[in-house]
Amino acid sequence: MNIPLTIFLYCLSSNMNMQVRLNGNMETLGSRLKFARLKRQLTQADVSRRSGVGQGDISKLEGGLVSGSTKVVQLALAVDCDPYWLATGSGQPYGQAAAEDMEFAGRGGNVVGIPVRGASEFLEGGVDIDESDPSAEGVVLGSGVLGGYAVKVRGDRNAPALKDGQFLVVDTLNNVRPGDLGLFSLEDGTVLLRELLRETDDAYHVDSPAWGARQTLQKITVSNCELVVAVVSASRWKKLKA
């Protein structure tokens, strides 16, 4: 079948224009956002809905009318790319090898940056996250987690062995299994760092790594349970540009 020359040239031109759009200048936050958005075949409206950032703000960012955003992590999650790459242009858009300095291995994927929620002292296995901590302005690199967040450790703790400045990595996509550490959120707002010993139909049987006391948490009192997969060093934290 012969294809008319005009149609052939139109298709060739469209393809070249798409390649230019996908592989163009990556020096600005807006250009990287546009690259990642088009790579995922998303519209600006899609990104706005996923991130909570106004479509007009996204348009200004991609068009170069504004140069920065305080919602980089939300935008990165919306277009499924690494937040640190989106903010700075450094690293890889979609992942690199997990950090070699993990103190215990996780079951996550291979994504470069996850957001930091804040910091906690982890006193007696309790978790009270201070989201105003400056660490929340950055991401943890090479965590080995596809979806989740990190919490900065304040102060040294002997049990579990946590050092000031390290980051606890939480995987929100995988379930806690017997032998794993988990964050157990209770209906009264309390959050506990516990090792899951066994699970029954109506309860979690756990041990506190902080003071060695076994507990039974009735499932009716637990609103959420998140997997703790790793502890990484302070060197894995990078501040996001404003």
Side-chain angles (χ1 to χ4, degrees):
M1 180 179 66
N2 293 325
I3 301 176
L5 180 60
T6 53
I7 296 178
F8 172 77
L9 291 176
Y10 172 79
C11 293
L12 179 61
S13 175
S14 298
N15 183 63
M16 291 178 64
N17 288 336
M18 177 60 74
Q19 292 301 315
V20 169
R21 289 196 298 270
L22 291 181
N23 300 298
N25 186 349
M26 292 292 177
E27 293 182 357
T28 66
L29 171 61
S31 62
R32 291 188 292 274
L33 176 62
K34 185 174 183 179
F35 168 84
R37 177 176 64 79
L38 293 176
K39 197 76 171 177
R40 299 302 187 195
Q41 298 183 335
L42 298 171
T43 66
Q44 290 181 350
D46 292 331
V47 176
S48 176
R49 184 175 62 256
R50 290 183 175 196
S51 66
V53 178
Q55 185 175 346
D57 293 332
I58 294 171
S59 177
K60 291 178 182 177
L61 195 59
E62 291 189 355
L65 298 180
V66 294
S67 60
S69 173
T70 60
K71 303 291 185 181
V72 173
V73 171
Q74 293 89 330
L75 289 168
L77 293 175
V79 297
D80 192 24
C81 76
D82 171 55
Y84 187 65
W85 170 83
L86 183 61
T88 68
S90 299
Q92 300 295 322
Y94 303 113
Q96 65 184 25
E100 295 180 357
D101 58 346
M102 286 187 186
E103 296 196 356
F104 54 94
R107 299 200 302 267
N110 211 14
V111 167
V112 180
I114 57 172
V116 177
R117 282 189 56 189
S120 176
E121 294 183 345
F122 296 96
L123 294 173
E124 294 189 346
V127 184
D128 185 11
I129 300 176
D130 176 10
E131 296 186 355
S132 68
D133 189 88
S135 64
E137 299 176 1
V139 296
V140 166
L141 307 181
S143 66
V145 168
L146 283 172
Y149 60 90
V151 181
K152 183 181 179 180
V153 178
R154 280 183 182 164
D156 293 344
R157 299 289 172 262
N158 292 326
L162 300 175
K163 301 299 180 183
D164 184 65
Q166 291 180 324
F167 288 87
L168 204 73
V169 177
V170 181
D171 182 348
T172 58
L173 300 182
N174 287 294
N175 296 325
V176 180
R177 302 171 186 169
D180 289 335
L181 285 178
L183 297 184
F184 293 82
S185 300
L186 307 185
E187 290 290 348
D188 64 3
T190 303
V191 181
L192 303 173
L193 173 62
R194 295 291 187 267
E195 178 187 355
L196 179 62
L197 301 176
R198 63 187 180 92
E199 179 180 357
T200 59
D201 290 340
D202 58 357
Y204 297 108
H205 300 271
V206 300
D207 190 12
S208 170
W211 40 274
R214 296 191 175 188
Q215 295 175 274
T216 298
L217 302 176
Q218 299 298 323
K219 287 187 175 179
I220 195 172
T221 68
V222 179
S223 60
N224 196 22
C225 181
E226 296 175 319
L227 175 66
V228 176
V229 295
V231 176
V232 298
S233 69
S235 65
R236 308 307 298 177
W237 181 83
K238 298 295 180 184
K239 180 179 175 62
L240 291 175
K241 293 181 179 180

